[in-house]
Amino acid sequence: MLARCSSASIQGMEALPVTVEVDLAPGLPGLQLVGLPDTAIQESRERVRAALRNSGFRGPLVRVIVNLAPADRRKEGPAFDLPIALALLVASGQLDPQKLEGLCCAGELGLDGSLRSCRGILAMACQAKSQHAKAFVVPSANAAEASLVTGLPIVSATTLAQLVDQLRHGIKDNCCPQPAAEKPATTTSPASPSTLSSAAPLTIQHFAQKALAIAAAGGHNLLMVGPPGCGKTMLARQLPKMLPPLSDSDALEITRLQSIAGTLGNVTSLVRQRPFRAPHHSTTAAGLLGGGINPRPGELSLAHGGVLFLDELTEFPRSILDQLRQPLEEGVLWISRARLRCSFPCQVTLVAATNPCPCGWHGDSSNRCRCSELQRQRYWNRLSGPFLDRLDLQCRLEPVPTGQLRRCFKANGDPTERHLEGSFSSEAIQAARIRMCQRNPGSQLNSQLSALELGRYGQIEEQAFQCWEQVASRRQLSMRSSLRLLRVARTIADLEAVPKVGEQQLAEAICFRSYDQPPRVNA
Ligand SMILES: Nc1ncnc2c1ncn2[C@@H]1O[C@H](COP(=O)(O)OP(=O)(O)OP(=O)(O)O)[C@@H](O)[C@H]1O
Ligand SMILES: [Mg+2]
């Protein structure tokens, strides 16, 4: 007898429909899987057989052929265990075929018949809804995630036996947990003493504060250069707290990305916190950009909508950093394989930190740097010119004077609130974003504007243009760098609530790109 069950497979950010077909034919007992299954699906033979037996069902004593249609697309993961088991029950006459009609199923089986969570459920639920599925059948552990898609009935259970029992008695939407009351985004909530991180800086210098605020408001990439222990890492970790809350569509996309990457965990509401990803410099290209036969998102895409922090930038292999160039520019990463091509969004604010030279003390007032000019040149040679060109803000940070820290020790009040004061507060950053979204086409951030849009909507004064031209030719800035200078100046004007970009904003933007790397040498 032939039986069918609908399911879905993940490809990039999308879930694509898959029909699991099971046919029982006379012959020696055995289960054959066809339709380009990967190793995890091949192994589902053993899991399904054991789960059926341990759940009190008859195992097939004939030849079983399982086909995953369409047969020309590679399928991956253990989520096909459940649809295979259910189709087998129908084919062997242990479940009425009508009970599976219109259902979409996904879930991993344990040998004891328990149902285990699997990744990509949110994308599959969106796909099931678009296919007008009667209900989406998932393990209980995935029910809350699936129910984030409104208007799609969810059926869930903890074991296969429990689920079949439900199906036999007629399904009812047994899992539509009320979406949990949305917690205010941590990025905007003022830190209470109880939630205050012990890693919060006591104080931040005005220049560093402004660089962070510009990066947060306009989505500009930031490079911080400074001596050891001056607080670069600490400052970068403050950035997510300064970013405005996520819109519903961004929150859905970020939740979906985390679900596909398998890092979501148990959620009852959309992820509302902007991501902050800080991969170690030993990370591989696949770890940073994503990859695999059936590609999964890497750190870059997992930082979508938030911050990608590359600490100790010069320690990252140059070849890996250079692979970031194109996705940073386009905000989307395309991965091509022989059989498939998929994309992951990656609109991130890149924040990088490094020392100015191998010993770390170049430019320090203590004069303790003993690195030769050649050593310094070689150190900066680890970063390619085109990669550095993409960093809008490049500034040197100085250590906070101990006297300033001491005053902070004595001062009362909450240090995290104190350092986000005035025009650098998350409220001011949010207001700047509202201004730029109202002015820019498609509600884009200033860093995302094309040259044409910048000229048309940037509201740049003639004197500022003249000054910009002079600076660009004197410093021999590339076309990209000079446009980025204008975008930063536009963000500074938005932060200061100034309608037009004048010379002053442009001069400030130049200051924030004033870190001079040594001239390049041939390695
Ligand atoms: N503004 C500050 N307020 C309070 N503590 C600070 C501040 N700046 C630095 N520190 C202290 O100095 C330590 C080192 O800071 P951090 O790790 O950010 O330095 P870094 O610039 O990243 O150094 P490296 O170049 O060695 O990586 C922090 O753990 C913190 O204790
Ligand atoms: Mg550091």
Side-chain angles (χ1 to χ4, degrees):
M1 186 187 169
L2 181 74
R4 284 193 186 87
C5 182
S6 295
S7 188
S9 72
I10 298 292
Q11 189 170 306
M13 282 291 280
E14 302 302 323
L16 302 174
V18 171
T19 306
V20 177
E21 298 172 334
V22 171
D23 185 43
L24 302 190
L28 287 174
L31 200 153
Q32 196 183 349
L33 268 160
V34 293
L36 288 188
D38 76 339
T39 320
I41 307 178
Q42 289 288 0
E43 288 171 353
S44 75
R45 269 190 292 222
E46 311 308 327
R47 285 193 299 272
V48 168
R49 266 200 288 243
L52 285 175
R53 201 174 51 246
N54 292 327
S55 304
F57 300 110
R58 282 194 319 275
L61 293 173
V62 286
R63 187 162 167 255
V64 181
I65 298 180
V66 178
N67 179 34
L68 307 176
D72 63 346
R73 196 193 317 134
R74 188 172 285 281
K75 329 285 179 318
E76 191 209 54
F80 291 105
D81 289 3
L82 179 61
I84 292 174
L86 290 175
L88 249 169
L89 288 175
V90 171
S92 58
Q94 297 176 79
L95 185 64
D96 185 350
Q98 285 177 348
K99 303 290 183 195
L100 283 190
E101 254 171 40
L103 300 185
C104 182
C105 312
E108 181 186 331
L109 280 173
L111 296 186
D112 57 354
S114 58
L115 285 169
R116 294 192 180 131
S117 65
C118 48
R119 68 183 187 96
I121 287 291
L122 184 56
M124 292 186 201
C126 293
Q127 194 276 331
K129 191 183 170 189
S130 71
Q131 298 272 311
H132 308 292
K134 219 160 67 181
F136 187 34
V137 182
V138 289
S140 291
N142 284 130
E145 182 186 336
S147 62
L148 293 177
V149 177
T150 50
L152 176 71
I154 306 298
V155 176
S156 67
T158 48
T159 64
L160 178 65
Q162 211 180 70
L163 179 67
V164 173
D165 200 43
Q166 276 189 56
L167 294 175
R168 280 178 181 152
H169 291 97
I171 56 161
K172 52 182 187 299
D173 181 3
N174 65 347
C175 181
C176 269
Q178 291 303 308
E182 299 268 333
K183 282 183 241 149
T186 50
T187 48
T188 49
S189 57
S192 66
S194 56
T195 59
L196 179 62
S197 157
S198 58
L202 280 173
T203 179
I204 307 178
Q205 283 177 323
H206 188 271
F207 187 68
Q209 225 171 18
K210 186 133 192 184
L212 283 180
I214 297 168
H220 300 285
N221 301 330
L222 166 67
L223 170 67
M224 294 184 280
V225 186
C230 72
K232 302 181 291 295
T233 304
M234 194 173 229
L235 285 179
R237 292 188 180 278
Q238 300 308 305
L239 197 55
K241 296 180 197 161
M242 301 166 79
L243 294 171
L246 288 166
S247 67
D248 283 347
S249 60
D250 287 347
L252 183 66
E253 196 163 36
I254 288 170
T255 313
R256 194 172 164 136
L257 260 167
Q258 293 191 6
S259 162
I260 286 170
T263 57
L264 189 59
N266 281 339
V267 288
T268 50
S269 62
L270 296 178
V271 173
R272 288 282 169 189
Q273 208 163 348
R274 288 196 182 259
F276 179 88
R277 307 290 300 189
H280 187 252
H281 54 72
S282 61
T283 190
T284 60
L288 189 61
L289 293 140
I293 298 170
N294 194 0
R296 287 197 195 195
E299 293 290 338
L300 174 67
S301 297
L302 289 173
H304 174 65
V307 177
L308 176 69
F309 177 43
L310 302 183
D311 204 0
E312 317 301 348
L313 184 69
T314 43
E315 301 302 327
F316 280 82
R318 181 173 165 160
S319 60
I320 293 185
L321 290 181
D322 279 347
Q323 291 184 49
L324 288 173
R325 280 156 51 178
Q326 185 249 348
L328 276 182
E329 204 86 333
E330 294 183 7
V332 61
L333 174 75
W334 282 96
I335 298 182
S336 294
R337 297 282 177 267
R339 286 175 189 273
L340 67 95
R341 187 163 188 262
C342 60
S343 67
F344 293 110
C346 58
Q347 274 174 4
V348 301
T349 300
L350 175 71
V351 178
T354 187
N355 298 123
C357 63
C359 80
W361 297 104
H362 183 270
D364 190 63
S365 51
S366 63
N367 254 342
R368 65 183 116 168
C369 175
R370 293 288 168 264
C371 300
S372 69
E373 193 54 19
L374 188 64
Q375 277 177 316
R376 204 172 149 247
Q377 285 174 345
R378 287 208 171 118
Y379 183 76
W380 279 96
N381 244 22
R382 296 180 196 170
L383 306 173
S384 75
F387 177 77
L388 282 171
D389 209 38
R390 284 160 170 80
L391 303 175
D392 314 24
L393 304 155
Q394 300 182 10
C395 48
R396 183 179 163 97
L397 301 190
E398 301 298 341
V400 178
T402 32
Q404 197 175 325
L405 275 181
R406 187 155 170 248
R407 278 195 296 281
C408 291
F409 280 137
K410 284 186 180 169
N412 294 321
D414 185 335
T416 48
E417 274 184 49
R418 207 169 44 240
H419 83 259
L420 298 173
E421 278 164 359
S423 61
F424 312 132
S425 65
S426 49
E427 288 76 19
I429 290 163
Q430 199 171 339
R433 278 213 176 186
I434 291 170
R435 265 175 231 124
M436 67 183 80
C437 289
Q438 282 170 349
R439 188 189 55 246
N440 296 342
S443 301
Q444 295 177 92
L445 296 182
N446 288 340
S447 59
Q448 297 163 348
L449 287 179
S450 70
L452 193 72
E453 289 163 343
L454 189 63
R456 195 172 287 172
Y457 305 100
Q459 300 184 12
I460 300 159
E461 280 178 2
E462 187 48 39
Q463 290 121 311
F465 263 132
Q466 284 170 9
C467 171
W468 171 66
E469 236 179 276
Q470 284 169 11
V471 172
S473 70
R474 202 172 50 240
R475 298 182 63 174
Q476 296 183 324
L477 293 180
S478 71
M479 189 90 87
R480 181 192 292 117
S481 292
S482 46
L483 283 171
R484 281 175 187 249
L485 199 63
L486 272 188
R487 292 190 189 107
V488 170
R490 183 58 264 178
T491 302
I492 294 171
D494 282 327
L495 266 172
E496 291 168 355
V498 180
K500 290 201 164 195
V501 178
E503 277 177 303
Q504 196 192 325
Q505 286 79 33
L506 196 81
E508 265 194 70
I510 294 164
C511 291
F512 284 107
R513 212 194 158 105
S514 58
Y515 186 75
D516 278 329
Q517 294 105 30
R520 321 231 118 228
V521 287
N522 288 333

